[in-house]
Amino acid sequence: MKANARGVVLDVGCASRWAEQALPPSCTYIGIDYPSTGTTLYEARPTVFANAERLPFGDETADTVLLSEVLEHLRNPQSALQEIRRVLKPDGRVLITLPFLYPIHDAPYDFQRYTSFGLQREVEAAGMRVIGVRRTLGALRTGAVLACLALGGVAQRSLLERSPSVLLLPLLGALIALINLAAWILGPLLPDWPALTLGYRLEAARNG
């Protein structure tokens, strides 16, 4: 993010403005979040509350747009991407991160997941060219994260429901530690499998 963001930066779905701390001092930061979800779910501190599908900015006003873990929460992601293309200056950049294999979160505002191919299709359909796509995590460590999330979720339900299965919580804790250790040790030693990842990072530029 530090290397790629420049100029006027619109952070769509800014939440607590955490991305602002990672930007070079030369950037002008503008945080944007949706009024209802921004206040009830994320404790957002935006510069302005707005809808990603109707950004309150003129054409070609931003050098960079950040869309970090937001696209899965938008009802009409293509509309938002077209708005992003509109506000970008010629050759302006959009930096997108989003989950691929990850549990439902921030329900009921979790609407879709994209493969790398689906994400590229959506971005190109909005009139932008893809510069690069990277996976956020390798296959083995992605599997470990999912296994630990599943075990943690089951443990939480056991506690909330006061189920007799709470007696197994020490075993679940030991399994989580063992899975993490195995992934940390084996991840660098084994070949990766590109079909499995926790999410994607994509950079694209406006066409024309």
Side-chain angles (χ1 to χ4, degrees), residues 26-108:
S26 58
C27 290
T28 300
Y29 178 88
I30 301 174
I32 303 155
D33 218 312
Y34 192 63
S36 58
T37 56
T39 53
T40 59
L41 290 177
Y42 311 124
E43 299 182 355
R45 297 187 292 107
T47 310
V48 60
F49 280 107
N51 188 333
E53 298 173 33
R54 293 187 298 275
L55 294 173
F57 304 101
D59 296 354
E60 302 182 5
T61 54
D63 298 285
T64 309
V65 175
L66 307 180
L67 203 62
S68 301
E69 313 301 307
V70 171
L71 206 61
E72 72 270 23
H73 299 297
L74 300 179
R75 292 182 182 274
N76 300 293
Q78 182 57 219
S79 296
L81 289 171
Q82 290 175 7
E83 269 293 272
I84 287 169
R85 192 265 179 198
R86 178 185 68 79
V87 302
L88 278 174
K89 295 178 182 179
D91 205 35
R93 302 297 174 91
V94 57
L95 309 175
I96 299 173
T97 67
L98 79 168
F100 173 53
L101 294 174
Y102 198 78
I104 292 173
H105 56 288
D106 297 339

Side-chain angles (χ1 to χ4, degrees), residues 2-15:
K2 287 184 178 180
N4 297 330
R6 56 186 173 83
V8 176
V9 178
L10 302 185
D11 185 5
V12 180
C14 67

